[in-house]
Amino acid sequence: MSALPGFVTAALGAKLQNVSRSDLRTRAQRISDSYRGRGTSGVIRSELDALAYAIVRMPATYAAVRAALAQASEVIPDAAPRSLLDIGAGPGTATWAARDAWPSLTRATLVDENPHLLALAEAMQAPALELSAQHGTITASLAGGATADVVMASYVLAELPDAALRATLGRLWDTAAFLLVVVEPGTPDGFKRILACRDILIARGAQIVAPCSHDGRCPLADGPRWCHFSARVPRSRDHLLVKDANVPFEDEKFSYLVAGKGFPPLDRGRRILATPKVDKSAVTLTVCTPDVPEQRRVARGDKDAYRAAKRLDWGDAI
Ligand SMILES: C[S@@+](CC[C@H](N)C(=O)[O-])C[C@H]1O[C@@H](n2cnc3c(N)ncnc32)[C@H](O)[C@@H]1O
């Protein structure tokens, strides 16, 4: 379980002083109703709306991005990026996750058109990270031609018109010196966008770092299943209060793509696409292979392999 870093919870804690939790709960409910109705974060119109959004959504998006970067880091363990551009950064969630994954980061530029979310990000100054917050649109921020080692688009593509995806992604790819990270909700719709990004980026010569095990046809491109993963998120007392929940954790489902350039050939292993099935006779793993997911059965009789397979989880690569 990845919990928000201390400097984030401290900043949120300071903002929460003397704020009515029931008022925040009403605001969080309105924001989440808007998202459920396919609205955008345009519904966040004040400092308190931004705080309500951060309390309810930051733990989950942080855990999702952190889990995606953990999977990618297993493929590129020596990556040590120094600069990051976070587009549609909101309260900086994905930047904080990237900083945790890559302590080498020294500079981050956060772009967002929502001044309330951006102000919240600025209140969360991470130690040893030079932060530049740019209020404006993604298109305007990419016009200058500057590059960053990592470009991050976390839970933002859904807010752009579908027709803009190809052009925006192309500009994000041109802006990324080494890595482009895209994270989306782990829904069929989120996966559809990830798949579109994968096709566009492979055509541009990208090296897919994660989660894909190959550059062939995605085995989940058609059919009832979609490629997504799950991150367990601990819920704080305020999270429980504002979300009106009583279970002390939630499971955030996410889809993602990490694309790279300039890396030597990558050893990506075979990604496990679902919770392994364990019964008395075997562990059965569903792994990523071109066209159709492969079922790998590890029989109990093969003691060492069976013991190792029992420790594997959805999202691991073998
Ligand atoms: C769902 S939030 C995600 C925030 C953050 N990336 C995260 O992962 O928690 C989407 C963010 O994208 C921003 N956004 C959407 N369209 C934008 C655009 N065209 N230009 C700049 N920011 C945009 C919104 O203001 C909002 O802060």
Side-chain angles (χ1 to χ4, degrees):
M1 280 209 274
S2 289
L4 289 170
F7 68 87
V8 173
T9 48
L12 291 177
K15 296 270 178 198
L16 280 167
Q17 299 266 336
N18 304 320
V19 171
S20 151
R21 302 311 193 253
S22 74
D23 176 45
L24 283 186
R25 190 183 309 147
T26 308
R27 289 170 192 274
Q29 191 58 54
R30 183 171 46 79
I31 295 165
S32 114
D33 287 347
S34 161
Y35 271 115
R36 237 175 262 127
R38 302 198 162 226
T40 68
S41 43
V43 72
I44 300 167
R45 296 193 198 100
S46 69
E47 191 181 338
L48 284 178
D49 286 348
L51 185 57
Y53 170 82
I55 297 295
V56 169
R57 285 301 295 152
M58 269 190 100
T61 49
Y62 179 88
V65 178
R66 189 65 191 85
L69 297 184
Q71 291 184 9
S73 292
E74 285 185 9
V75 181
I76 46 168
D78 297 331
R82 298 181 64 77
S83 58
L84 173 88
L85 171 67
D86 186 356
I87 57 125
T93 324
T95 293
W96 315 137
R99 178 190 169 274
D100 193 55
W102 293 304
S104 55
L105 282 175
T106 56
R107 273 176 295 123
T109 304
L110 277 59
V111 175
D112 207 290
E113 63 185 5
N114 187 314
H116 308 293
L117 288 168
L118 204 56
L120 198 50
E122 284 185 283
M124 293 173 188
Q125 292 281 351
L129 189 68
E130 189 191 313
L131 200 75
S132 158
Q134 287 181 10
H135 178 221
T137 66
I138 295 165
T139 310
S141 75
L142 298 174
T147 61
D149 291 351
V150 182
V151 174
M152 174 72 73
S154 164
Y155 289 85
V156 64
L157 295 187
E159 301 211 356
L160 306 181
D162 284 346
L165 181 68
R166 179 174 290 274
T168 306
L169 198 73
R171 279 198 292 272
L172 296 177
W173 180 240
D174 291 338
T175 302
F178 299 126
L179 291 167
L180 172 59
V181 180
V182 182
V183 185
E184 285 285 295
T187 58
D189 214 39
F191 172 57
K192 222 195 279 172
R193 273 187 298 278
I194 291 292
L195 204 52
C197 293
R198 180 179 188 265
D199 289 345
I200 294 167
L201 292 171
I202 287 177
R204 293 279 315 262
Q207 295 170 283
I208 303 301
V209 175
C212 316
S213 297
H214 55 87
D215 294 340
R217 204 177 120 70
C218 171
L220 303 182
D222 298 315
R225 293 165 56 189
W226 63 97
C227 182
H228 67 293
F229 303 94
S230 183
R232 182 146 289 190
V233 185
R235 283 176 166 156
S236 67
R237 204 170 138 268
D238 283 315
H239 191 171
L240 288 166
L241 278 174
V242 175
K243 201 154 183 182
D244 207 8
N246 43 36
V247 182
F249 64 86
E250 65 188 13
D251 290 318
E252 173 74 2
K253 305 291 194 305
F254 63 98
S255 293
Y256 78 98
L257 191 73
V258 178
K261 47 179 92 158
F263 290 93
L266 301 170
D267 180 6
R268 295 177 281 188
R270 293 275 172 220
R271 182 86 49 205
I272 299 173
L273 298 176
T275 304
K277 288 200 185 93
V278 183
D279 62 32
K280 284 189 189 133
S281 61
V283 175
T284 306
L285 305 168
T286 305
V287 300
C288 179
T289 41
D291 295 321
V292 187
E294 185 185 311
Q295 302 291 313
R296 282 198 189 168
R297 191 170 176 278
V298 183
R300 191 185 188 121
D302 190 349
K303 280 200 174 58
D304 290 346
Y306 178 80
R307 206 175 300 125
K310 269 184 77 173
R311 282 196 293 269
L312 292 168
D313 205 354
W314 179 13
D316 290 341
I318 50 172

